[in-house]
Amino acid sequence: MSTYSIITYGCQMNEHDSENIAGMLEALGYIHEEDPWSADLVVMNTCSVRENADKRFFGVLGQFKKMKKSNPEFMLCVCGCMPQQPRIIEQINKRFSWVDIVFGTQNIARLPELIEARKETGQKQRAIVDNNPNITEDEMHPVRMHPHKALVNITFGCNNFCTYCIVPYTRGREKSRLLRDVVCEIEKLAADGVREVMLLGQNVDSYKDTLGNSFADLIKAVNEIDGIDRIRFMTSHPRDISDEMIECFRSCSKLCHNIHLPVQSGSDRVLKRMNRHYDRERYLEIVDKIRRFAPDITISTDIIVGFPGETEEDFEETLDIARRVRYDSAFTFIYSAREGTPAAKFEDQIPDDVCHKRFDRLVELMDGISLEKNREYKGRVVEVLCDGSSKNSPNTYSGRTDGFKLVNFTSDKNEEDIAGEIVNVEITETKTFSLEGREVV
Ligand code: SAH
Ligand code: SF4
Ligand code: F3S
């Protein structure tokens, strides 16, 4: 029996692609192996969003050469966002010629055929074809990471072309799945015991299917599905978020009171150069409106520091908007120039030391706010969907609140009885990135 292992580098979309790839490999008879260095077939599902993702990938890729020597059957496959760029494909072909199969983000369904061709012909396989008309999601049988929660694609690709971002080039043009196909998939998931779904798209707010259904229509339809208790989505774009969607926080009982709303910068000048199509005033208006409909909502964000031309004043505006919104959590990134994006050609790139100093100041502020916000939970009882036991100690479990707070808690129950269940947890300790507590019955 041959074994497979998948290394996933990217976002939830990549994670879900890996689940689909695992499903296809298992249908071919491959058995999962946790350790890639012991597997007969390895898939590297890559990310290219920032430069350090690139570097990590090439480092690991180099190390796989020795596997070919020790195991003549060994097969190495590379997919995800890296090989979508011609310069990367060139490098793979030139410097890493032992890679057996390379396939693009829109060619995932072809993997079984590529493996067969590789075995039969002995030829290396390369399949990077864009604008593949077949969205094959409905034919996929993913091996999901958790039995009780699932990732569900609603759109593919991105049309936004934020000037720093590589994603529109690696994932192609935006396409929405039909509402009825998404609903059908979630009905099947519910029948399979899934209680929480995360609807995925680079910009979920621009979801529109060919029958005219909007993202709000989709949320309302998913809210009607029996067996589903929690609905989440990722990622919102302040430009496209609609009032109708925001109203769903009140009208749809299963919609979690949590939103990831990337701001990227607090400066209007920078936002314009990023091609984000909103200004700080509009962003703050949206946050106000969301909080009016869901006063207990938790809000997280993404922020880029050191975008070309960012002045001290611009950066101060970012600190200011963070103080005003008081985010529950934030993903903060130092700007990383991506070849092929407009911002990489902007002349006023910011020196590394300035970026790092600003980054440290921002992280300090954000961590302080996160800690303050988490302190408000002390003594409260919250509902937690238990993901399973935490590896370190017995009878300690972890899970997420409706607001996506990570909770580590103790319970007398066995893992089989508690994993996948929503339980009440009293919060006894609060930290910057998590809460601690004990189950109360
Ligand atoms: N579609 C989502 C996520 C895109 S990638 C969105 O629009 O928010 C996730 C985050 O990575 C982005 O929100 C951005 O903050 C960050 N990012 C993207 N490109 C980057 C770059 N070139 N340098 C630094 N951070 C970047
Ligand atoms: Fe990138 Fe902007 Fe699209 Fe998000 S919306 S994936 S940041 S181009
Ligand atoms: Fe990375 Fe591609 Fe996702 S670049 S963040 S894996 S869409």
Side-chain angles (χ1 to χ4, degrees), residues 186-264:
I186 298 176
E187 282 170 348
K188 284 191 201 133
L189 290 168
D192 219 19
V194 167
R195 303 189 66 178
E196 177 182 303
V197 286
M198 165 84 88
L199 309 175
L200 291 182
Q202 295 299 343
N203 172 359
V204 286
D205 298 297
S206 61
Y207 173 89
K208 192 149 210 88
D209 77 1
T210 46
L211 299 173
N213 291 301
S214 67
F215 183 48
D217 295 329
L218 180 62
I219 293 176
K220 287 175 195 162
V222 177
N223 197 58
E224 296 301 313
I225 300 175
D226 285 341
I228 297 297
D229 295 316
R230 286 180 168 186
I231 306 167
R232 301 187 187 283
F233 55 84
M234 187 82 158
T235 303
S236 292
H237 195 307
R239 176 179 78 175
D240 297 305
I241 194 165
S242 68
D243 286 352
E244 207 191 347
M245 189 275 122
I246 295 174
E247 284 157 18
C248 289
F249 282 118
R250 186 180 286 163
S251 62
C252 296
S253 59
K254 298 175 181 177
L255 186 61
C256 288
H257 282 192
N258 166 245
I259 187 166
H260 184 65
L261 193 64
V263 65
Q264 313 296 2

Coordinates of all heavy atoms in Angstrom, one line a residue, residues 186-264:
I186 N -24.0 21.8 1.7 CA -24.1 22.0 3.2 C -25.1 21.1 3.8 O -25.0 20.5 4.9 CB -24.3 23.5 3.5 CG1 -23.1 24.3 3.1 CG2 -24.5 23.6 5.0 CD1 -23.2 25.8 3.3
E187 N -26.2 20.8 3.0 CA -27.2 19.8 3.5 C -26.6 18.5 3.7 O -26.8 17.8 4.6 CB -28.4 19.7 2.5 CG -29.3 20.9 2.6 CD -30.4 21.0 1.5 OE1 -30.2 20.3 0.5 OE2 -31.3 21.8 1.7
K188 N -25.7 18.1 2.7 CA -25.0 16.8 2.8 C -24.1 16.8 4.0 O -24.0 15.8 4.7 CB -24.2 16.5 1.5 CG -25.1 16.1 0.4 CD -24.2 15.5 -0.7 CE -25.0 15.6 -2.1 NZ -24.2 16.1 -3.1
L189 N -23.4 17.9 4.2 CA -22.5 18.0 5.4 C -23.3 17.9 6.7 O -22.8 17.2 7.6 CB -21.7 19.4 5.3 CG -20.7 19.5 4.2 CD1 -20.3 21.0 4.1 CD2 -19.5 18.6 4.5
A190 N -24.4 18.5 6.7 CA -25.2 18.5 8.0 C -25.6 17.0 8.2 O -25.6 16.5 9.4 CB -26.4 19.4 7.8
A191 N -26.0 16.3 7.2 CA -26.5 14.9 7.3 C -25.3 14.1 7.8 O -25.5 13.0 8.4 CB -27.0 14.4 6.0
D192 N -24.1 14.5 7.5 CA -22.9 13.8 7.9 C -22.4 14.2 9.3 O -21.3 13.8 9.7 CB -21.8 14.3 6.9 CG -20.9 13.2 6.4 OD1 -21.3 12.0 6.6 OD2 -19.8 13.5 5.9
G193 N -23.1 15.1 10.0 CA -22.7 15.5 11.4 C -22.0 16.8 11.5 O -21.6 17.1 12.6
V194 N -21.9 17.5 10.4 CA -21.2 18.8 10.5 C -22.1 19.8 11.2 O -23.3 19.9 10.8 CB -20.8 19.3 9.1 CG1 -20.4 20.8 9.1 CG2 -19.6 18.4 8.6
R195 N -21.6 20.6 12.1 CA -22.4 21.6 12.8 C -22.1 23.0 12.5 O -22.8 24.0 12.7 CB -22.3 21.4 14.3 CG -22.7 20.0 14.7 CD -22.8 19.8 16.2 NE -23.9 20.5 16.7 CZ -24.2 20.5 18.0 NH1 -23.5 19.7 18.9 NH2 -25.2 21.2 18.5
E196 N -20.8 23.2 12.0 CA -20.4 24.6 11.7 C -19.8 24.6 10.3 O -19.0 23.8 9.9 CB -19.3 25.0 12.7 CG -18.7 26.4 12.4 CD -17.6 26.8 13.4 OE1 -17.9 26.8 14.6 OE2 -16.5 27.1 13.0
V197 N -20.2 25.6 9.5 CA -19.6 25.8 8.2 C -19.0 27.1 8.1 O -19.4 28.1 8.6 CB -20.6 25.7 7.0 CG1 -21.0 24.2 6.8 CG2 -21.9 26.5 7.2
M198 N -17.8 27.2 7.4 CA -17.1 28.4 7.1 C -17.2 28.6 5.6 O -16.6 27.8 4.8 CB -15.7 28.3 7.6 CG -14.7 29.3 7.1 SD -14.7 30.8 8.0 CE -13.5 30.4 9.2
L199 N -17.9 29.7 5.2 CA -18.1 30.0 3.8 C -16.9 30.7 3.3 O -16.5 31.8 3.9 CB -19.4 30.8 3.6 CG -20.6 30.2 4.2 CD1 -21.8 31.2 4.0 CD2 -21.0 28.9 3.6
L200 N -16.2 30.2 2.3 CA -14.9 30.8 1.9 C -15.0 31.5 0.5 O -15.5 31.0 -0.5 CB -13.9 29.6 1.7 CG -13.4 28.9 2.9 CD1 -12.4 27.8 2.5 CD2 -12.8 29.8 3.9
G201 N -14.3 32.7 0.5 CA -14.1 33.4 -0.7 C -13.1 34.5 -0.4 O -12.9 34.9 0.7
Q202 N -12.3 34.9 -1.4 CA -11.4 36.0 -1.2 C -12.1 37.3 -0.9 O -11.6 38.1 -0.1 CB -10.4 36.2 -2.4 CG -9.5 35.1 -2.7 CD -8.6 34.8 -1.6 OE1 -8.3 35.6 -0.7 NE2 -8.0 33.6 -1.7
N203 N -13.3 37.4 -1.4 CA -14.2 38.6 -1.1 C -15.6 38.0 -1.1 O -16.3 38.1 -2.1 CB -13.9 39.7 -2.1 CG -14.9 40.8 -2.0 OD1 -15.8 40.8 -1.2 ND2 -14.7 41.8 -2.9
V204 N -16.1 37.5 0.0 CA -17.4 36.9 0.0 C -18.5 37.9 -0.3 O -19.6 37.5 -0.8 CB -17.7 36.2 1.4 CG1 -16.9 35.0 1.6 CG2 -17.5 37.2 2.5
D205 N -18.3 39.2 0.0 CA -19.3 40.2 -0.3 C -19.6 40.4 -1.7 O -20.7 40.9 -2.1 CB -18.9 41.5 0.4 CG -18.8 41.3 1.9 OD1 -19.8 40.9 2.5 OD2 -17.7 41.4 2.4
S206 N -18.7 40.0 -2.6 CA -19.0 40.2 -4.0 C -19.6 38.9 -4.6 O -19.8 38.8 -5.8 CB -17.8 40.6 -4.8 OG -16.8 39.7 -4.7
Y207 N -20.0 37.9 -3.8 CA -20.6 36.7 -4.2 C -21.9 37.1 -5.0 O -22.7 37.9 -4.6 CB -21.0 35.8 -3.1 CG -21.9 34.7 -3.5 CD1 -21.3 33.5 -3.8 CD2 -23.3 34.8 -3.5 CE1 -22.1 32.4 -4.2 CE2 -24.1 33.7 -3.9 CZ -23.5 32.5 -4.3 OH -24.3 31.5 -4.7
K208 N -22.0 36.6 -6.2 CA -23.3 36.8 -7.0 C -23.4 35.6 -8.0 O -22.5 35.5 -8.8 CB -23.3 38.1 -7.8 CG -24.6 38.5 -8.3 CD -24.8 40.0 -8.4 CE -26.3 40.4 -8.2 NZ -26.8 40.6 -7.0
D209 N -24.4 34.8 -7.8 CA -24.4 33.7 -8.8 C -25.2 34.1 -10.0 O -25.7 35.2 -10.1 CB -25.0 32.4 -8.1 CG -26.5 32.4 -7.9 OD1 -27.1 33.4 -8.3 OD2 -27.0 31.4 -7.3
T210 N -25.2 33.2 -11.0 CA -25.8 33.5 -12.3 C -27.3 33.7 -12.3 O -27.9 34.3 -13.2 CB -25.4 32.5 -13.4 OG1 -25.7 31.2 -12.8 CG2 -24.0 32.5 -13.8
L211 N -27.9 33.3 -11.2 CA -29.3 33.6 -11.0 C -29.6 34.8 -10.2 O -30.7 35.1 -9.9 CB -30.0 32.4 -10.3 CG -29.9 31.0 -11.1 CD1 -30.4 29.9 -10.2 CD2 -30.6 31.1 -12.4
G212 N -28.5 35.6 -9.9 CA -28.7 36.9 -9.3 C -28.7 36.8 -7.7 O -28.9 37.8 -7.1
N213 N -28.5 35.7 -7.1 CA -28.4 35.6 -5.7 C -27.2 36.3 -5.1 O -26.1 36.1 -5.6 CB -28.4 34.1 -5.2 CG -29.7 33.4 -5.5 OD1 -30.8 33.8 -5.1 ND2 -29.7 32.4 -6.4
S214 N -27.4 37.0 -4.0 CA -26.3 37.7 -3.4 C -25.8 37.0 -2.2 O -26.3 35.9 -1.8 CB -26.9 39.1 -2.9 OG -27.8 38.8 -1.8
F215 N -24.7 37.5 -1.5 CA -24.2 36.8 -0.4 C -25.2 36.8 0.8 O -25.3 35.8 1.5 CB -22.9 37.6 0.1 CG -22.2 36.9 1.2 CD1 -22.0 35.5 1.3 CD2 -21.8 37.6 2.3 CE1 -21.4 34.9 2.3 CE2 -21.2 37.0 3.4 CZ -21.0 35.7 3.4
A216 N -26.0 37.9 0.9 CA -27.0 37.9 2.0 C -28.1 36.7 1.7 O -28.5 36.0 2.6 CB -27.7 39.2 2.0
D217 N -28.4 36.6 0.4 CA -29.4 35.5 0.0 C -28.8 34.2 0.4 O -29.5 33.3 0.9 CB -29.7 35.5 -1.5 CG -30.4 36.8 -1.9 OD1 -31.1 37.3 -1.1 OD2 -30.1 37.2 -3.1
L218 N -27.5 34.0 0.2 CA -26.9 32.7 0.5 C -26.9 32.5 2.0 O -27.2 31.4 2.5 CB -25.4 32.8 0.0 CG -24.6 31.5 0.2 CD1 -25.2 30.3 -0.5 CD2 -23.2 31.7 -0.3
I219 N -26.5 33.5 2.8 CA -26.5 33.3 4.3 C -27.9 32.9 4.7 O -28.1 32.0 5.5 CB -26.1 34.6 5.0 CG1 -24.6 34.8 4.7 CG2 -26.3 34.5 6.5 CD1 -24.1 36.1 5.3
K220 N -28.9 33.6 4.2 CA -30.3 33.3 4.6 C -30.7 31.9 4.3 O -31.3 31.2 5.1 CB -31.3 34.3 4.0 CG -31.2 35.7 4.6 CD -32.1 36.6 3.8 CE -31.7 38.1 4.2 NZ -32.2 39.1 3.2
A221 N -30.2 31.4 3.1 CA -30.6 30.0 2.7 C -29.8 29.0 3.6 O -30.4 28.0 4.0 CB -30.2 29.8 1.2
V222 N -28.6 29.3 3.9 CA -27.8 28.3 4.8 C -28.4 28.3 6.2 O -28.4 27.3 6.9 CB -26.3 28.7 4.8 CG1 -25.5 27.7 5.7 CG2 -25.7 28.6 3.4
N223 N -28.9 29.5 6.6 CA -29.5 29.6 8.0 C -30.7 28.6 8.1 O -31.0 28.3 9.2 CB -29.9 31.0 8.2 CG -30.2 31.4 9.7 OD1 -29.3 31.2 10.5 ND2 -31.4 31.8 10.0
E224 N -31.3 28.3 7.0 CA -32.5 27.4 7.1 C -32.1 25.9 7.2 O -33.0 25.1 7.3 CB -33.4 27.6 5.8 CG -34.0 29.0 5.7 CD -34.8 29.4 6.8 OE1 -35.7 28.5 7.2 OE2 -34.7 30.5 7.4
I225 N -30.9 25.6 7.0 CA -30.5 24.1 6.9 C -30.5 23.5 8.3 O -29.7 23.9 9.2 CB -29.1 24.0 6.2 CG1 -29.2 24.6 4.8 CG2 -28.7 22.5 6.2 CD1 -27.9 24.6 4.0
D226 N -31.3 22.5 8.5 CA -31.4 21.7 9.8 C -30.1 21.1 10.1 O -29.4 20.5 9.2 CB -32.5 20.7 9.7 CG -33.9 21.3 9.8 OD1 -33.9 22.4 10.2 OD2 -34.8 20.6 9.4
G227 N -29.7 21.1 11.3 CA -28.4 20.4 11.7 C -27.2 21.3 11.8 O -26.3 21.1 12.5
I228 N -27.3 22.4 11.0 CA -26.2 23.4 11.1 C -26.5 24.4 12.2 O -27.6 24.9 12.3 CB -26.0 24.2 9.7 CG1 -25.7 23.2 8.6 CG2 -25.0 25.3 9.8 CD1 -24.3 22.5 8.7
D229 N -25.5 24.6 13.1 CA -25.7 25.5 14.2 C -25.0 26.8 14.1 O -25.3 27.8 14.7 CB -25.2 24.8 15.5 CG -26.0 23.6 15.9 OD1 -27.2 23.7 15.8 OD2 -25.4 22.6 16.2
R230 N -23.9 26.7 13.3 CA -23.0 28.0 13.2 C -22.6 28.2 11.8 O -22.2 27.3 11.1 CB -21.8 27.8 14.1 CG -22.0 27.9 15.6 CD -20.7 27.7 16.3 NE -20.7 28.1 17.7 CZ -19.7 28.1 18.5 NH1 -18.5 27.8 18.0 NH2 -19.8 28.5 19.7
I231 N -22.7 29.5 11.4 CA -22.3 29.9 10.1 C -21.2 30.9 10.2 O -21.4 31.9 10.9 CB -23.4 30.4 9.2 CG1 -24.6 29.5 9.1 CG2 -23.0 30.8 7.8 CD1 -25.9 30.1 8.6
R232 N -20.1 30.7 9.6 CA -19.0 31.8 9.6 C -18.7 32.0 8.1 O -19.0 31.2 7.2 CB -17.7 31.2 10.2 CG -17.9 30.8 11.7 CD -16.5 30.5 12.3 NE -16.7 30.0 13.6 CZ -16.9 30.7 14.7 NH1 -17.1 32.0 14.6 NH2 -17.0 30.2 15.9
F233 N -17.9 33.1 7.9 CA -17.5 33.4 6.5 C -16.1 34.1 6.5 O -15.8 34.7 7.5 CB -18.5 34.2 5.7 CG -18.9 35.4 6.4 CD1 -18.2 36.6 6.2 CD2 -20.1 35.5 7.2 CE1 -18.6 37.8 6.8 CE2 -20.4 36.7 7.8 CZ -19.7 37.8 7.7
M234 N -15.4 34.1 5.4 CA -14.1 34.6 5.3 C -13.8 34.8 3.9 O -14.0 33.9 3.1 CB -13.2 33.5 5.9 CG -11.8 33.8 6.1 SD -11.5 34.7 7.6 CE -9.8 34.3 7.9
T235 N -13.4 35.9 3.3 CA -13.1 37.2 4.0 C -14.1 38.3 3.5 O -14.4 38.3 2.3 CB -11.7 37.6 3.7 OG1 -10.8 36.6 4.1 CG2 -11.3 38.9 4.4
S236 N -14.4 39.2 4.3 CA -15.2 40.3 3.9 C -14.4 41.4 3.3 O -13.2 41.6 3.7 CB -16.0 40.9 5.1 OG -16.9 40.0 5.6
H237 N -15.0 42.2 2.4 CA -14.3 43.4 1.9 C -15.1 44.6 2.1 O -16.3 44.7 1.7 CB -14.1 43.2 0.4 CG -13.0 44.1 -0.2 ND1 -13.1 45.5 0.0 CD2 -11.9 43.9 -0.9 CE1 -12.1 46.1 -0.6 NE2 -11.4 45.1 -1.2
P238 N -14.5 45.6 2.8 CA -15.3 46.8 3.2 C -15.9 47.5 2.0 O -17.0 48.1 2.1 CB -14.3 47.7 3.9 CG -13.2 46.8 4.3 CD -13.2 45.6 3.4
R239 N -15.3 47.3 0.8 CA -15.9 48.0 -0.4 C -17.3 47.4 -0.7 O -18.2 48.1 -1.1 CB -15.0 47.8 -1.6 CG -15.7 48.4 -2.8 CD -14.8 48.3 -4.0 NE -14.8 47.0 -4.6 CZ -14.2 46.6 -5.7 NH1 -13.5 47.5 -6.4 NH2 -14.3 45.4 -6.1
D240 N -17.4 46.1 -0.6 CA -18.6 45.4 -1.1 C -19.6 44.9 -0.1 O -20.7 44.4 -0.4 CB -18.1 44.1 -1.9 CG -17.3 44.6 -3.1 OD1 -17.8 45.4 -3.9 OD2 -16.2 44.1 -3.3
I241 N -19.3 45.1 1.2 CA -20.2 44.6 2.2 C -21.5 45.4 2.1 O -21.5 46.6 1.9 CB -19.6 44.7 3.6 CG1 -20.4 43.9 4.6 CG2 -19.4 46.2 4.1 CD1 -19.6 43.7 5.9
S242 N -22.7 44.7 2.1 CA -24.0 45.4 1.9 C -24.7 45.5 3.2 O -24.5 44.7 4.2 CB -24.8 44.6 0.9 OG -25.2 43.3 1.5
D243 N -25.6 46.4 3.2 CA -26.5 46.6 4.4 C -27.3 45.3 4.6 O -27.5 44.9 5.8 CB -27.5 47.8 4.2 CG -26.7 49.1 4.3 OD1 -25.6 49.1 4.7 OD2 -27.3 50.2 4.0
E244 N -27.7 44.7 3.6 CA -28.5 43.5 3.7 C -27.7 42.4 4.4 O -28.3 41.6 5.2 CB -28.9 43.1 2.3 CG -30.2 42.3 2.2 CD -30.4 41.7 0.9 OE1 -29.7 42.0 -0.1 OE2 -31.3 40.8 0.8
M245 N -26.4 42.3 4.0 CA -25.6 41.3 4.7 C -25.5 41.6 6.2 O -25.6 40.8 7.0 CB -24.2 41.3 4.0 CG -23.3 40.2 4.4 SD -22.4 40.6 5.9 CE -22.9 39.3 6.9
I246 N -25.2 42.9 6.5 CA -25.0 43.3 7.9 C -26.3 43.0 8.7 O -26.2 42.5 9.8 CB -24.6 44.8 8.0 CG1 -23.3 45.0 7.3 CG2 -24.6 45.2 9.5 CD1 -22.8 46.4 7.2
E247 N -27.5 43.2 8.1 CA -28.7 42.9 8.8 C -28.9 41.4 9.1 O -29.6 41.1 10.0 CB -29.9 43.4 7.9 CG -30.0 44.9 8.0 CD -30.8 45.5 6.8 OE1 -31.5 44.8 6.1 OE2 -30.6 46.7 6.6
C248 N -28.2 40.6 8.4 CA -28.2 39.1 8.7 C -27.7 38.8 10.1 O -28.1 37.8 10.7 CB -27.4 38.3 7.6 SG -28.2 38.3 6.0
F249 N -26.8 39.7 10.6 CA -26.3 39.4 11.9 C -27.5 39.4 12.9 O -27.4 38.8 14.0 CB -25.3 40.5 12.3 CG -23.9 40.2 11.7 CD1 -23.3 41.1 10.8 CD2 -23.2 39.0 12.0 CE1 -22.1 40.8 10.3 CE2 -22.0 38.8 11.5 CZ -21.4 39.7 10.6
R250 N -28.5 40.2 12.6 CA -29.7 40.2 13.5 C -30.7 39.1 13.1 O -31.2 38.4 14.0 CB -30.3 41.5 13.5 CG -31.5 41.6 14.5 CD -32.1 43.0 14.5 NE -31.3 44.0 15.2 CZ -31.5 45.3 15.0 NH1 -32.5 45.8 14.2 NH2 -30.7 46.2 15.6
S251 N -30.9 39.0 11.8 CA -32.1 38.1 11.4 C -31.7 36.6 11.3 O -32.6 35.8 11.3 CB -32.6 38.6 10.0 OG -31.6 38.6 9.0
C252 N -30.4 36.3 11.1 CA -30.1 34.9 10.9 C -29.5 34.4 12.2 O -28.3 34.7 12.6 CB -29.1 34.7 9.8 SG -29.8 35.2 8.2
S253 N -30.2 33.5 12.9 CA -29.8 33.1 14.3 C -28.5 32.3 14.3 O -27.9 32.2 15.3 CB -30.9 32.4 14.9 OG -31.2 31.2 14.1
K254 N -28.2 31.6 13.2 CA -27.0 30.8 13.2 C -25.8 31.5 12.8 O -24.7 30.9 12.8 CB -27.3 29.6 12.2 CG -28.4 28.7 12.6 CD -28.7 27.7 11.6 CE -29.9 26.8 12.1 NZ -30.2 25.8 11.1
L255 N -25.9 32.7 12.3 CA -24.7 33.5 11.8 C -23.9 33.9 13.0 O -24.4 34.7 13.9 CB -25.2 34.7 11.0 CG -24.0 35.5 10.3 CD1 -23.3 34.6 9.4 CD2 -24.6 36.7 9.6
C256 N -22.7 33.5 13.1 CA -21.9 33.8 14.3 C -21.6 35.3 14.4 O -21.5 36.0 13.3 CB -20.5 33.1 14.2 SG -20.7 31.3 14.5
H257 N -21.6 35.8 15.6 CA -21.3 37.2 15.8 C -19.8 37.5 15.8 O -19.2 37.7 16.8 CB -22.0 37.7 17.0 CG -23.4 38.0 16.8 ND1 -24.2 38.6 17.7 CD2 -24.2 37.6 15.8 CE1 -25.5 38.7 17.2 NE2 -25.5 38.1 16.0
N258 N -19.2 37.3 14.6 CA -17.8 37.5 14.4 C -17.6 37.9 13.0 O -18.2 37.4 12.1 CB -17.1 36.2 14.7 CG -15.6 36.2 14.3 OD1 -15.2 35.4 13.4 ND2 -14.8 37.0 14.8
I259 N -16.7 38.9 12.8 CA -16.4 39.2 11.4 C -14.9 39.6 11.2 O -14.3 40.3 12.1 CB -17.3 40.4 10.9 CG1 -17.0 40.6 9.4 CG2 -17.1 41.7 11.6 CD1 -18.1 41.5 8.7
H260 N -14.3 39.1 10.2 CA -12.9 39.4 9.8 C -13.0 40.5 8.7 O -13.5 40.2 7.6 CB -12.2 38.2 9.4 CG -10.7 38.5 9.1 ND1 -9.9 38.8 10.1 CD2 -10.0 38.5 8.0 CE1 -8.6 39.1 9.6 NE2 -8.7 38.9 8.3
L261 N -12.7 41.7 9.1 CA -12.9 42.8 8.2 C -11.6 43.5 8.0 O -11.2 44.5 8.7 CB -13.9 43.8 8.8 CG -14.5 44.8 7.9 CD1 -15.3 44.2 6.7 CD2 -15.4 45.8 8.6
P262 N -10.8 43.1 7.0 CA -9.4 43.7 6.8 C -9.5 45.2 6.5 O -10.3 45.6 5.6 CB -8.9 42.9 5.6 CG -9.6 41.6 5.6 CD -11.0 42.0 6.1
V263 N -8.7 45.9 7.2 CA -8.7 47.4 7.0 C -7.5 47.7 6.2 O -7.5 48.6 5.4 CB -8.8 48.1 8.3 CG1 -7.5 47.9 9.2 CG2 -8.9 49.6 8.1
Q264 N -6.4 47.0 6.4 CA -5.1 47.1 5.7 C -4.3 48.4 6.1 O -3.1 48.4 6.3 CB -5.2 47.1 4.1 CG -6.1 45.9 3.6 CD -5.5 44.5 3.9 OE1 -4.5 44.4 4.5 NE2 -6.2 43.5 3.4

